[in-house]
Amino acid sequence: MSDIDPALPPFARALLPDLHRSFLRAAAGGVVLVLAAGIALVGGHPALWFALAGYGVGVALSLVLMRRGYPHGRLGLCNRVTLARLALTAALLAPLAGDVAVAWAVPVVALLALSLDGLDGWLARREGLSSGFGARFDMEVDSALALILALNAMAAGSAGAIVLLIGVPRYAFAAAGLAAPWLDGPLPERFSRKAVCVAQIATLIALQLPPVTPEFGNPLVAVVALMLAWSFGKDILWLRRARA
């Protein structure tokens, strides 16, 4: 049974397959979550529009990925959970644009986004909807969350520019892949990679806590940066050997 969205305008129903309409319907529901989390973060500040714009860009890019190849005929709960994580991540853009945030709200929203990580993958396996798209969608939301939290930590003064070392590694790796396409090859599942990713996000959430100062935050960032360098280095060596 396909997910059909009667609420979309006729031209969208005519141009998009049922699955993509279902994705947009779920994404439209995510707008409510962006607004709810955004209001918790900055109240009624106009910076909410920045969060909504970021969410819109994320949804558009995700739809492009889905159209490139999604092997299933239904969206499932798994992809809806990842969309919810995207909505929470986008809401965290509001404090950056408004330079204001309710105390403790940033770590709470970020912790909620982290708590949903892994649930989407578990649901995908349970629903029989595992796919390369789902794995990529999940990874890109994780990467965006890391970058946005790193920028929030800098803005809050809990860490210096060094925090970007644990906010941009995924994007640096992707940029390297443009010069060396073999870096864009498929990687095997590895528990250590997931553990380091969780440590990365957990550290970035800890840096959002009001008492944290650079004297504590910067050394913590350095440790996690070394963990990320080890994890990415391991993947690069594996890809190099696979290429050979």
Side-chain angles (χ1 to χ4, degrees):
M1 179 186 239
S2 62
D3 297 315
I4 299 176
D5 179 15
L8 287 175
F11 76 88
R13 294 201 298 272
L15 295 177
L16 292 174
D18 291 348
L19 178 65
H20 299 157
R21 285 184 252 147
S22 177
F23 184 84
L24 290 177
R25 180 183 183 181
V31 170
V32 177
L33 185 54
V34 175
L35 289 173
I39 289 170
L41 288 162
V42 298
H45 196 282
L48 286 173
W49 287 106
F50 187 57
L52 287 169
Y55 179 64
V57 171
V59 167
L61 292 175
S62 302
L63 184 59
V64 169
L65 285 176
M66 174 173 272
R67 297 188 70 172
R68 285 181 179 175
Y70 179 68
H72 306 293
R74 59 192 179 91
L75 191 62
L77 186 57
C78 52
N79 290 306
R80 289 181 169 86
V81 169
T82 311
L83 272 169
R85 292 181 56 234
L86 175 61
L88 292 169
T89 298
L92 290 165
L93 289 168
L96 290 175
D99 195 24
V100 59
V102 177
W104 299 95
V106 171
V108 169
V109 172
L111 187 60
L112 181 56
L114 177 62
S115 68
L116 294 174
D117 192 17
L119 177 60
D120 43 12
W122 179 82
L123 285 169
R125 292 186 293 273
R126 184 179 177 85
E127 296 176 309
L129 295 176
S130 297
S131 68
F133 161 76
R136 177 74 181 273
F137 189 16
D138 180 68
M139 179 183 66
E140 296 300 347
V141 172
D142 285 341
S143 301
L145 179 60
L147 176 58
I148 293 169
L149 287 176
L151 293 173
N152 270 295
M154 280 184 62
S158 58
I162 189 177
V163 74
L164 292 178
L165 289 177
I166 64 173
V168 301
R170 157 64 188 156
Y171 298 105
F173 189 75
L178 296 177
W182 57 271
L183 288 173
D184 197 32
L187 288 165
E189 289 289 329
R190 185 176 287 129
F191 174 78
S192 61
R193 186 189 304 117
K194 294 179 180 179
V196 170
C197 180
V198 170
Q200 172 195 21
I201 301 297
T203 297
L204 286 165
I205 292 174
L207 292 174
Q208 313 304 317
L209 300 173
V212 176
T213 62
E215 288 73 21
F216 173 80
N218 288 342
L220 183 60
V221 166
V223 171
V224 177
L226 289 174
M227 294 171 62
L228 284 164
W230 169 80
S231 181
F232 275 93
K234 195 171 182 178
D235 285 342
I236 290 171
L237 285 175
W238 190 94
L239 288 167
R240 183 176 180 179
R241 288 170 184 158
R243 178 194 183 199

